[in-house]
Amino acid sequence: MASIFKGLIFYLAVVALLSGGHAHGKNQAARVYDVTKYGAAPSKGDNKDAFLAAWRAACHSTAGNSTLLFPKGTFAAGAVQFEGPCKNGNAPAVVIDGVLQPCSGRGGGGGCQLSDDAWLTFSDLNNLLVTGAGTLDGQGHHQSGKAKAKPTTLVFEDVTNATLRGLGLVNSRGFHVNFRRCTRVVAEGLGIHAPAASRNTDGVHVGFSSHVRILNSVIGTGDDCVSVGPGCTDVVVSGVICGPGHGLSVGSLGKDDDGEQDVRGVVIKNCTVNGTTNGVRIKTWPGSPPSRASNITFQDITMDNVSNPIIIDQRYCPHDHCADADKPSLVQISDVTYRRIEGTSNSSLAVRLLCSEKRPCTGVRLDGINLTCGGVPCRSEFSNVRGSVAQVLSSPGPAVQREEAADDVASSGTEQLGRFTWWLPFTVRGRRV
Ligand SMILES: *[C@@H]1O[C@H](CO)[C@@H](O)[C@H](O)[C@H]1NC(C)=O
Ligand SMILES: *[C@@H]1O[C@H](CO)[C@@H](O)[C@H](O)[C@H]1NC(C)=O
Ligand SMILES: *[C@@H]1O[C@H](CO)[C@@H](O)[C@H](O)[C@H]1NC(C)=O
Ligand SMILES: *[C@@H]1O[C@H](CO)[C@@H](O)[C@H](O)[C@H]1NC(C)=O
Ligand SMILES: *[C@@H]1O[C@H](CO)[C@@H](O)[C@H](O)[C@H]1NC(C)=O
Ligand SMILES: *[C@@H]1O[C@H](CO)[C@@H](O)[C@H](O)[C@H]1NC(C)=O
Ligand SMILES: *[C@@H]1O[C@H](CO)[C@@H](O)[C@H](O)[C@H]1NC(C)=O
Ligand SMILES: *[C@@H]1O[C@H](CO)[C@@H](O)[C@H](O)[C@H]1NC(C)=O
């Protein structure tokens, strides 16, 4: 008993040693860099400098395995960039147990600076872990007017081998999370929430990145729950519960004029989409320059009350402000599989594949689609879909007719207003391929 007691005292002493104070002088034992030890306080209008001081200490610590800690409490800060590289090549672990909020105002009180780009950025880092029981609160609902900056809450930029786990992100002003030029990133167990009416508040956006996993998270915002932008390869989204919002998207693609990089290898599976405007979507801008989006799979998705459950939109033009609204997109979409997608549409539409007349979609497969559209028959719309989509609607009987019709549309290339509307008398049901 006594030895257990001694052991406990020893343990507590070690814990106290590890979590107390910051390293200075010769003794580098401390590995936890608590922002409050560097001057951060809930009462401060802008804790940016304290955050950065703690970050520098953790990042340049020679002790190894250091932790940057944001303890419980609410802390405000302007835009902060946690930059690497760090000593011996590895980033500290970042534990956020408190609530972080942007300081108020764009260039307002106490020199507080916010930009439209990013609020909290982690850049040029390797082996980064950002986790904790805390919340990043963008305070988006406190915004008034256009004067306020609309930064992405959390950006990982040029980061390799990173994990973002367990945090809550709420009410962002812009996107909640953006992985930009990252390799091997896992985001899991996130809870992301913003009002359905808040514009451009995507949950997790991925761009110019490869080997990204977005897993087991609950995301509901005023825009896409997840969006996979240009230049991405090997992105897997699994176990995401999405809604409200605009659904799970690849895109938007082709917005920029100069050579956007392709999207290759996206899997979106085992997700639930509930009360959203779109379910699973691929979107490209009208008049977009040439690029490719290929090898994209959506499977095992449950839809509940979704307005456009399955949609490819190559004339994506939100708010109707597109210079090239009448020009076709030159983004080539190919090898897209929809497999085992079930549930309910909020509209009479189940499937809308509206591809580009200049770059018809190829290799589209629909397999095991089981959607119902309230009391009315589900309707599907196809344009400029070449070839195998026909095999798709492979239920017996009328399917044959549909097949021919789909092929006609695709291969004839006739204008027909570039569109063909298809009334399905019952749920669309495919066969395994
Ligand atoms: C850092 O942590 C890893 C795993 O947690 C361990 O293998 C490694 O030895 C630690 N390094 C130091 C310097 O403590
Ligand atoms: C990242 O992780 C992979 C797989 O675990 C490993 O092979 C690679 O060396 C790591 N990269 C860096 C820069 O640590
Ligand atoms: C499917 O997603 C749910 C979350 O909606 C998760 O709990 C479950 O582990 C996932 N299953 C697989 C096989 O990935
Ligand atoms: C398609 O993408 C997935 C996910 O990245 C990948 O595992 C698979 O190898 C790719 N297939 C082809 C034919 O490129
Ligand atoms: C969708 O959300 C509603 C509540 O908003 C809930 O009752 C329903 O069970 C959810 N559907 C699925 C498939 O999770
Ligand atoms: C369906 O989703 C819409 C939002 O698109 C929501 O307003 C409505 O309450 C939902 N209906 C049900 C039955 O959950
Ligand atoms: C469909 O969504 C609209 C809002 O977009 C909502 O008002 C309506 O109640 C929804 N219909 C059903 C059947 O849930
Ligand atoms: C389609 O879904 C409904 C309920 O959502 C289910 O009762 C039915 O068995 C499904 N049909 C097939 C062929 O999977």
Side-chain angles (χ1 to χ4, degrees):
M1 193 63 188
S3 69
I4 291 175
F5 187 66
K6 272 187 207 156
L8 184 64
I9 296 286
F10 177 71
Y11 171 77
L12 290 175
V14 168
V15 168
L17 185 69
L18 287 179
S19 57
H22 48 276
H24 48 76
K26 270 187 280 182
N27 189 346
Q28 299 274 351
R31 289 192 185 152
V32 175
Y33 298 82
D34 180 334
V35 294
T36 61
K37 301 290 193 305
Y38 290 80
S43 57
K44 272 196 182 166
D46 186 357
N47 284 290
K48 175 187 173 176
D49 293 340
F51 288 1
L52 280 175
W55 167 257
R56 277 191 292 267
C59 177
H60 297 299
S61 160
T62 51
N65 291 5
S66 56
T67 296
L68 174 71
L69 175 66
F70 297 84
K72 285 194 175 135
T74 300
F75 301 90
V80 191
Q81 185 159 4
F82 300 99
E83 253 178 305
C86 293
K87 203 95 180 178
N88 48 39
N90 292 330
V94 177
V95 176
I96 301 172
D97 286 332
V99 177
L100 308 188
Q101 295 176 341
C103 55
S104 43
R106 182 187 277 271
C112 157
Q113 291 295 332
L114 291 171
S115 74
D116 281 320
D117 182 39
W119 172 39
L120 304 174
T121 306
F122 289 88
S123 61
D124 297 297
L125 292 162
N126 184 34
N127 293 334
L128 173 70
L129 168 65
V130 178
T131 188
T135 302
L136 306 181
D137 176 4
Q139 299 267 297
H141 54 298
H142 287 171
Q143 282 183 271
S144 53
K146 291 194 168 171
K148 299 276 175 143
K150 293 185 170 55
T152 296
T153 289
L154 179 63
V155 176
F156 282 14
E157 192 172 85
D158 300 302
V159 167
T160 307
N161 289 3
T163 301
L164 171 63
R165 181 185 295 137
L167 286 180
L169 293 103
V170 298
N171 294 322
S172 186
R173 299 168 183 224
F175 292 1
H176 287 78
V177 177
N178 188 351
F179 296 129
R180 203 186 269 163
R181 297 192 303 267
C182 293
T183 308
R184 283 186 294 272
V185 180
V186 178
E188 59 186 343
L190 304 179
I192 301 182
H193 303 281
S198 53
R199 264 193 192 181
N200 291 327
T201 55
D202 292 36
V204 180
H205 179 79
V206 187
F208 313 100
S209 296
S210 55
H211 313 302
V212 177
R213 303 290 177 263
I214 299 166
L215 311 173
N216 305 329
S217 294
V218 180
I219 306 177
T221 72
D223 211 303
D224 295 332
C225 293
V226 175
S227 51
V228 179
C232 288
T233 34
D234 185 26
V235 176
V236 178
V237 178
S238 176
V240 169
I241 297 173
C242 165
H246 298 176
L248 302 166
S249 295
V250 173
S252 59
L253 306 178
K255 189 175 189 184
D256 293 330
D257 286 340
D258 42 323
E260 253 184 26
Q261 290 169 297
D262 299 346
V263 172
R264 272 183 294 127
V266 178
V267 178
I268 296 183
K269 62 180 182 187
N270 184 35
C271 292
T272 299
V273 189
N274 196 344
T276 57
T277 53
N278 303 286
V280 289
R281 174 165 63 156
I282 302 174
K283 49 179 170 172
T284 78
W285 292 78
S288 45
S291 70
R292 289 171 176 276
S294 62
N295 184 17
I296 298 169
T297 300
F298 303 98
Q299 70 176 34
D300 299 306
I301 311 282
T302 301
M303 305 278 176
D304 190 350
N305 180 26
V306 172
S307 303
N308 291 301
I310 295 177
I311 178 167
I312 293 178
D313 181 2
Q314 293 214 257
R315 289 188 174 274
Y316 174 69
C317 180
H319 322 306
D320 288 327
H321 294 304
C322 301
D324 295 321
D326 295 330
K327 294 189 189 151
S329 167
L330 298 183
V331 178
Q332 172 71 62
I333 295 174
S334 56
D335 299 314
V336 182
T337 300
Y338 301 91
R339 187 182 289 133
R340 296 186 299 268
I341 297 184
E342 302 209 342
T344 60
S345 170
N346 165 298
S347 70
S348 61
L349 280 161
V351 180
R352 302 181 82 194
L353 304 179
L354 310 179
C355 296
S356 164
E357 60 262 44
K358 280 280 163 45
R359 295 285 187 279
C361 295
T362 63
V364 178
R365 283 172 290 271
L366 285 149
D367 168 29
I369 309 302
N370 179 9
L371 292 163
T372 55
C373 299
V376 300
C378 280
R379 194 157 59 89
S380 295
E381 236 184 320
F382 295 81
S383 56
N384 306 305
V385 180
R386 182 168 286 158
S388 66
V389 70
Q391 292 157 16
V392 170
L393 300 158
S394 48
S395 51
V400 176
Q401 262 183 339
R402 292 178 201 141
E403 211 170 292
E404 285 163 359
D407 260 348
D408 277 354
V409 172
S411 52
S412 71
T414 55
E415 289 310 319
Q416 284 187 17
L417 299 169
R419 175 167 295 195
F420 177 74
T421 304
W422 201 338
W423 291 86
L424 295 166
F426 39 76
T427 56
V428 187
R429 201 171 290 158
R431 181 177 64 204
R432 295 283 180 85
V433 280

